[in-house]
């Protein structure tokens, strides 16, 4: 399908005026009359038994309207798929920050003072602070009642696991792996580790809950309101129809706002007081108690033939899931992007084992391209090491092994996606790969691929007499330009000015919607917008939109809607090239420049795409160089984003972005997804550039000066 000319023009963001003038209303801005403020008592221990609680002094404090403990909500647990996280703990706590009591008071200051007055007696227990300890044969079982946990899956029960401290576990394979390894000319094995990192959205989690007759009203930062509604219904024992969730304006997400925990407690506080109750998470708690990217340890083993072509591969990936699996929405309770290492390559025989593990650390959740940054860092570093040991240029080894259309990939499925060799070739040309570099400087390559999202949603259109069209959708906009995408597709399909298309976001009173995430908005919501526009066009016949609108009488409108199911397999792809300089005396790394060569199919929002690609690069660069949500004895050390060491604009090198698009994507007009495409490959490209510049191979992120200095000295 030929894309309309409109899509080539830079867009004006539909939410731009409200956000730049401060008019946009976020969840924390909702100020309902009589609203109370919530605060929570949190565990100071990573694992302990709750012996007793004394809340009488808190209850007697002036301005306190309700105090709840685990005894008031015993048996209630929350979670996106496995409901294993207590709404309030009643018998034990499993990480530093676990909640044991909640207060609703007239002001936040009073609520926090009441929290300080609550006395909790704990019996400290041996904490499992690393995955090896948790998986030991004699390790204490962190969730002895796991068999009683609710599993929100319509097709069956929670998949079995080989160890009670596994959250999820899977082994996948294709081909005769053992026979392929036996005939390999060379076999290579390497291990890599990555730390926890935080999504660091500028807006922290926030929510307001109140009762309106027999209905429960929720305004939340959650990016998937229908899913939150269903989780609340299951946990609280309420009919779904009684709960209405609205997510307002979302101030950033990056995966972290798929999980909500406050709303469940706020319901009980609102019920106890008869008043609205709100909670806005402080950033110290945001860093310490929400759902960051999983720390990982990934071991890879690959066999190649005499020409360096991959003939066998196996991986074993462990992900530290922390105290609860509640943040994972998938049925296997895994970060699915971390399973199939060497994505994008031709792998005729492969075996992958992946597991998430319960520990007494902050619970892990989803973050931009869940599992893939860990996976790609390991895979692309592994390939570089293989190339250097074989005496083959790293770029050439990739060219020999990338998948072409129809090739068997590491997942056992044929490749559907862009020309990967072309992307790598252009990246090499843009970084001047053939030009000799002075000592202390080097270049690194990495390949990143990302599946195009799938799912189903409904969008409806209403043409009014003034010529405007209202597009109704259940998807929010967390800054990714989702509503602008819908606006532009509708306008392009109908041949009208985008300014005449208004996008109205509905609450869960509207049609079912999967929410933001999984790289799905462009193919799923974009597909629904295009289908709805075609349905409206069919109703108009040969009449232009303006003529049809003028013919309407007062109060009349023309409506059309479409439900779209995106099911086709497809990928976007990105070739990374990074040039780095390393000071061998200090280990200091400077990124001199970077190139991204991407295929995202037809571009819908040109300005938004640039922002996604630049933002994705900086996201990956932070993981490469500085970000580490470090814990000490189970306690997160960073209390704010300054301590956490987020990169700033001063840390970003010159960045060149090149589009090589065949416009054959499965999304509207041949589009593919982009938001989670770039960040996974950046850490590997940086590590490979550091190795090329200095000979220092870093197996553990982030790539700090200290680690480079030690690697150069073999310590």
């Amino acid at each position: 399908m030929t894309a309309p000319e409109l899509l080539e023009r830079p867009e004006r963001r539909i939410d731009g005026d409200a956000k730049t003038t401060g008019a946009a209303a976020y969840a924390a801005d909702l100020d309902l009359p009589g609203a109370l403020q919530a605060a929570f008592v949190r565990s100071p221990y990573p694992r302990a038994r709750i012996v007793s609680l004394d809340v009488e002094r808190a209850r007697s404090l002036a301005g306190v309207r309700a105090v709840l403990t685990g005894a008031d909500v015993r048996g209630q647990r929350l979670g996106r798929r496995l409901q294993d996280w207590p709404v309030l703990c009643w018998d034990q706590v499993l990480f530093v920050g676990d909640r044991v009591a909640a207060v609703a008071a007239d002001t936040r200051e009073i609520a926090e003072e009441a929290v300080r007055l609550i006395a909790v007696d704990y019996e400290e227990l041996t904490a499992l602070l690393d995955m090896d300890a948790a998986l030991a044969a004699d390790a204490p079982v962190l969730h002895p009642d796991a068999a009683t946990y609710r599993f929100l899956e319509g097709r069956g029960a929670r998949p079995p696991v080989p160890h009670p401290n596994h959250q999820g576990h899977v082994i996948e394979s294709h081909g005769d792996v053992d026979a392929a390894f036996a005939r390999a000319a060379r076999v290579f094995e390497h291990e890599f580790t990555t730390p926890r990192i935080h999504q660091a959205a500028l807006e922290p989690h926030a929510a307001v809950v109140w009762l309106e007759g027999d209905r429960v009203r929720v305004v939340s930062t959650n990016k998937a309101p229908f899913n939150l509604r269903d989780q609340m219904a299951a946990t609280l024992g309420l009919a779904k129809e009684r709960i209405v969730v609205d997510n307002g304006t979302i101030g950033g997400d990056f995966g972290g706002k798929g999980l909500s925990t406050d709303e469940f407690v706020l319901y009980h506080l609102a019920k106890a007081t008869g008043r609205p109750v709100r909670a806005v998470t402080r950033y110290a708690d945001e860093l310490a108690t929400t759902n960051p990217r999983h720390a990982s340890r990934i071991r890879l083993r690959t066999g190649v033939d005499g020409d360096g072509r991959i003939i066998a591969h196996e991986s074993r990936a462990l992900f530290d899931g922390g105290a609860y699996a509640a943040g994972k929405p998938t049925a296997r309770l895994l970060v699915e992007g971390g399973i199939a290492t060497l994505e994008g390559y031709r792998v005729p025989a492969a075996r992958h084992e992946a597991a998430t593990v319960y520990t007494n650390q902050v619970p892990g959740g989803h973050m931009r391209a869940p599992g893939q940054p860990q996976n790609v860092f390991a895979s692309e570093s592994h390939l570089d090491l293989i190339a250097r040991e074989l005496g083959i240029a790293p770029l050439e080894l990739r060219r020999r092994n990338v998948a072409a259309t129809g090739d068997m990939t590491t997942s056992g499925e044929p490749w559907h996606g862009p020309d990967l060799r072309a992307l790598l070739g252009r990246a090499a040309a843009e970084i001047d790969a053939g030009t000799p570099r002075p000592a202390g400087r080097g270049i690194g390559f990495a390949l990143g691929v990302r599946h195009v999202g799938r799912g189903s949603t409904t969008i409806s259109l209403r043409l009014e007499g003034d010529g405007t069209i209202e597009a109704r959708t259940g998807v929010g906009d967390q800054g990714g330009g989702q509503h602008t995408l819908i606006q532009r597709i509708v306008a392009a399909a109908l041949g009208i000015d985008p300014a005449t298309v208004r996008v109205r976001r509905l609450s869960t009173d509207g049609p079912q919607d999967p929410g933001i995430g999984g790289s799905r908005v462009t193919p799923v919501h974009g597909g629904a917008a295009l289908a709805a526009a075609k349905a409206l066009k069919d109703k108009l016949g040969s009449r232009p939109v303006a003529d049809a609108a003028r013919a309407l009488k007062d109060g009349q409108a023309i409506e059309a809607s479409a439900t779209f199911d995106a099911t086709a397999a497809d990928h976007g792809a990105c070739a990374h090239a990074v040039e780095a300089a390393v000071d061998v005396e200090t280990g200091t790394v400077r990124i001199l420049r970077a190139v991204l060569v991407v295929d995202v199919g037809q571009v819908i929002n040109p300005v938004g795409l640039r922002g996604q690609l630049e933002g994705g690069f900086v996201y990956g660069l932070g993981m490469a160089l500085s970000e580490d949500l470090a814990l000490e004895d189970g306690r997160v050390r960073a209390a704010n984003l300054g301590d956490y060491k987020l990169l700033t604009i001063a840390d970003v090198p010159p960045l060149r972005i090149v589009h090589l698009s065949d416009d054959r994507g499965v999304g509207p007009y041949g589009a593919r997804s982009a938001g989670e495409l770039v960040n996974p490959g950046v850490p590997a490209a940086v590590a490979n550039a550091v190795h090329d510049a200095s000979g220092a191979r870093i197996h553990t992120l982030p790539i700090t000066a200290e680690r480079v200095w030690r690697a150069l000295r073999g310590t």
Side-chain angles (χ1 to χ4, degrees):
M1 180 188 301
T2 302
E5 184 273 334
L6 166 64
L7 300 185
E8 304 300 323
R9 288 184 251 144
E11 74 276 13
R12 181 179 176 85
R13 282 285 293 264
I14 200 170
D15 54 344
D17 289 343
K19 288 181 175 176
T20 55
T21 61
Y26 297 87
D29 294 324
L30 183 59
D31 187 16
L32 295 174
L36 302 172
Q37 312 299 314
F40 306 102
V41 178
R42 299 185 181 274
S43 167
Y45 300 110
R47 181 167 177 249
R49 186 173 71 86
I50 301 171
V51 177
S52 64
L53 287 92
D54 184 350
V55 300
E56 291 311 310
R57 291 179 65 204
R59 283 194 171 127
S60 62
L61 185 66
V64 170
R65 305 302 173 183
V67 178
L68 298 177
T69 70
D72 299 304
V73 295
R74 180 179 291 272
Q76 292 188 1
R77 295 181 171 91
L78 60 93
R80 301 178 72 180
R81 181 73 67 167
L82 180 67
Q83 298 206 298
D84 63 349
W85 191 335
V87 170
L88 292 172
C89 298
W90 56 84
D91 59 352
Q92 65 172 347
V93 291
L94 292 180
F95 77 101
V96 174
D98 230 352
R99 293 183 297 197
V100 300
V103 174
D106 292 345
T107 68
R108 184 164 184 160
E109 291 73 19
I110 294 172
E112 290 175 346
E113 176 61 23
V115 161
R116 288 189 285 271
L117 295 175
I118 295 175
V120 187
D121 184 17
Y122 298 94
E123 177 191 351
E124 192 172 1
L125 303 173
T126 300
L128 303 178
L129 298 178
D130 65 72
M131 294 184 286
D132 290 335
L135 295 179
D138 60 349
V141 177
L142 296 185
H143 289 265
D145 300 327
T148 68
Y149 294 170
R150 183 182 291 103
F151 187 67
L152 302 180
E153 170 58 57
R155 295 184 296 277
R158 175 188 176 188
V161 292
H163 190 289
N165 285 336
H166 274 132
Q167 297 177 358
H169 179 270
V170 68
I171 297 176
E172 296 180 343
S173 66
H174 70 271
D176 191 334
V177 180
D178 294 334
F181 270 113
R183 67 174 184 271
R186 296 280 302 274
V187 175
F188 302 90
E189 191 166 356
H190 304 106
E191 185 172 280
F192 304 90
T193 59
T194 66
R196 291 168 192 79
I197 60 175
H198 196 269
Q199 297 89 351
L202 287 181
E203 177 202 31
H205 285 73
V208 184
V209 177
W210 70 99
L211 306 182
E212 196 174 85
D214 67 347
R215 307 199 84 185
V216 181
R217 295 279 180 180
V218 182
V219 173
S220 167
T221 52
N222 191 288
K223 66 176 182 176
F226 282 89
N227 294 343
L228 176 58
R229 179 201 66 179
D230 294 352
Q231 294 158 33
M232 292 183 69
T235 297
L236 303 174
L238 302 173
K240 294 178 185 179
E241 295 73 25
R242 287 188 57 194
I243 304 171
V244 181
V245 180
D246 189 348
N247 59 9
T249 303
I250 302 174
D253 159 45
F254 312 113
K257 288 174 181 168
L259 175 69
S260 292
T261 58
D262 291 349
E263 290 80 347
F264 303 81
V265 186
L266 297 184
Y267 162 76
H268 286 292
L269 291 171
K271 185 178 178 182
T273 62
R275 291 166 63 176
V277 185
R278 68 197 294 266
V280 179
T281 306
R282 293 194 185 277
Y283 234 103
D285 290 331
E286 184 77 22
L287 287 164
T289 67
T290 54
N291 53 332
R293 191 185 298 283
H294 294 60
S296 74
R297 185 172 74 239
I298 301 176
R299 189 160 193 84
L300 305 181
R301 181 169 173 255
T302 299
V304 300
D305 66 14
D307 294 321
R309 290 184 170 84
I310 297 167
I311 61 173
H313 176 66
E314 65 180 8
S315 66
R316 185 170 190 268
L318 287 177
F319 296 92
D320 189 336
Y324 303 109
K328 300 175 186 65
T330 62
R332 300 193 295 183
L333 302 176
L334 298 164
V335 278
E336 298 285 346
I339 296 173
T341 47
L342 286 184
E343 288 186 286
Y345 292 92
R346 183 177 57 254
V347 184
R351 180 189 300 116
H352 303 288
E353 180 180 6
T356 45
V357 182
Y358 280 120
T359 65
N360 294 119
Q361 307 279 30
V362 57
H366 270 195
M367 184 175 175
R368 199 172 193 166
Q372 280 194 282
Q374 302 98 309
N375 169 335
V376 179
F377 170 64
S379 297
E380 293 288 324
S381 298
H382 179 59
L383 282 178
D384 249 53
L385 285 166
I386 292 173
R388 294 178 186 280
E389 291 194 47
L390 290 174
I392 301 173
L395 180 64
E396 175 57 27
L397 185 74
R398 288 175 171 81
R399 284 172 165 160
R400 293 182 190 183
N401 286 287
V402 290
T405 301
D407 281 346
M408 181 74 72
T409 64
T410 189
S411 65
E413 299 294 329
W415 173 249
H416 296 278
D419 183 340
L420 301 176
R421 286 176 62 90
L423 296 177
L424 287 168
R426 184 63 178 274
E430 294 289 340
I431 204 74
D432 303 317
T435 302
R437 283 165 168 77
R441 290 173 60 175
I443 56 173
F445 296 95
L447 181 67
V449 302
R450 174 70 177 168
H451 68 80
V452 170
R454 305 177 188 182
S456 176
T457 193
T458 299
I459 288 180
S460 61
L461 304 178
R462 178 183 173 89
L463 173 62
E464 306 282 358
D466 62 0
T468 61
I469 292 176
E470 182 178 78
R472 299 175 181 174
T473 177
V475 74
D477 192 328
Q478 90 307 20
Q482 288 83 350
H483 292 169
T484 305
L485 175 135
I486 292 169
Q487 179 194 56
R488 282 170 66 83
I489 289 174
V490 170
L494 296 174
I496 58 178
D497 184 344
T500 64
V501 181
R502 305 188 310 272
V503 179
R504 178 183 171 195
R505 175 187 45 77
L506 305 174
S507 71
T508 55
D509 271 342
Q512 181 78 28
D513 184 87
I516 305 162
S519 294
R520 76 169 62 92
V521 170
T522 295
V524 176
H525 296 84
L530 183 58
K534 289 179 177 178
L536 181 60
K537 197 169 186 177
D538 289 343
K539 284 194 172 185
L540 302 182
S542 60
R543 295 178 296 168
V545 171
D547 291 350
R550 280 193 291 270
L552 293 171
K553 297 178 181 178
D554 288 347
Q556 286 185 326
I558 301 174
E559 299 189 22
S561 67
T563 298
F564 185 79
D565 297 291
T567 59
D570 193 14
H571 294 82
C574 178
H576 302 72
V578 169
E579 182 173 6
V582 177
D583 184 333
V584 296
E585 296 300 320
T586 65
T588 302
V589 175
R590 287 189 302 120
I591 306 303
L592 303 177
R593 58 177 175 146
V595 173
L596 307 177
V597 183
V598 301
D599 188 335
V600 295
Q602 170 62 45
V603 177
I604 306 296
N605 292 352
V607 178
L609 174 65
R610 179 84 190 187
Q612 288 291 322
L613 300 180
E614 290 179 347
F617 173 78
V618 177
Y619 221 71
L621 194 63
M623 182 175 181
L625 296 177
S626 66
E627 293 190 46
D628 181 356
L629 192 68
L631 286 85
E632 185 174 349
D633 297 329
R635 184 182 300 277
V636 172
R637 293 202 303 240
N640 53 62
L641 292 180
D643 293 343
Y644 176 62
K645 295 186 179 179
L646 279 179
L647 296 188
T648 70
I649 191 64
D651 303 301
V652 181
L655 175 63
R656 178 161 174 74
I657 298 176
V658 179
H659 297 263
L660 289 184
S661 179
D662 57 16
D663 295 341
R664 296 177 184 171
V666 298
Y669 298 112
R672 294 185 169 107
S673 308
E676 298 177 282
L677 177 61
V678 169
N679 61 295
V682 180
V686 172
N688 294 339
V690 168
H691 190 181
D692 190 52
S694 67
R697 170 51 61 177
I698 306 302
H699 291 251
T700 298
L701 293 178
I703 303 168
T704 61
E706 292 82 359
R707 286 190 171 125
V708 174
W709 189 89
R710 288 196 295 267
L712 287 170
R713 287 153 181 79
T715 60

